[in-house]
Amino acid sequence: MAKLSFSATVAAFAEKIPGAVEAVFKEAVHDVTEEMLKPTGAGGRMRVDTGFLRASVLASTTAMPTINRSSGPTEGASYAFDFGQIEAVILGADVNDTIYVGFTAGYAVYREFGANGQAPDAFVRGAAQQWQGIVDRKAGELKRRLGL
């Protein structure tokens, strides 16, 4: 369904402009991933305490990254987040690729869906629900940059 909506959004103008579809695709994937990883303190849905969950995110064009059920933060440690690996996958992807973005932290699913009486954070689902709006915005931005 996402591919059909994506195609419909960019088809009207992008077919005539080399690279336009790819640009909208890559920029939209980048922005939806940033939205998914946005900390609550910056208006997002991801709670960041040690940074372990956020630092465990990986991207791939072959398969969804696998959760390591036994992985978690070391007490007293903090973890830095680096968007570089995700950016490399996005930049290396073809417009026909599926880009998987997921977490390896053992508690990622509990943060997403809630557990032990805690409400779900829904940072993945919340970002995914914004996909079409992000695609529309990126297509509009590209049209403006190209003077269309």
Side-chain angles (χ1 to χ4, degrees), residues 55-115:
S56 80
V57 70
L58 293 173
S60 171
T61 56
T62 57
M64 181 61 78
T66 305
I67 290 177
N68 177 351
R69 296 276 179 211
S70 64
S71 71
T74 301
E75 190 167 332
S78 63
Y79 300 85
F81 167 69
D82 180 6
F83 204 83
Q85 188 273 338
I86 296 166
E87 190 66 31
V89 170
I90 293 170
L91 290 173
D94 179 81
V95 73
N96 294 314
D97 287 339
T98 298
I99 299 177
Y100 302 93
V101 180
F103 299 85
T104 62
Y107 59 94
V109 70
Y110 304 120
R111 292 275 33 98
E112 175 66 16
F113 293 102

Side-chain angles (χ1 to χ4, degrees), residues 2-79:
K3 287 188 178 189
L4 294 176
S5 298
F6 177 80
S7 297
T9 298
V10 297
F13 77 95
E15 290 175 353
K16 301 171 189 145
I17 302 166
V21 172
E22 182 176 358
V24 171
F25 170 68
K26 289 181 178 185
E27 288 180 23
V29 171
H30 181 278
D31 283 10
V32 81
T33 303
E34 278 190 336
E35 184 62 35
M36 179 176 65
L37 297 169
K38 188 186 300 179
T40 55
R45 293 177 174 232
M46 180 174 275
R47 287 187 259 171
V48 177
D49 182 21
T50 65
F52 186 82
L53 175 61
R54 195 166 185 246
S56 80
V57 70
L58 293 173
S60 171
T61 56
T62 57
M64 181 61 78
T66 305
I67 290 177
N68 177 351
R69 296 276 179 211
S70 64
S71 71
T74 301
E75 190 167 332
S78 63
Y79 300 85

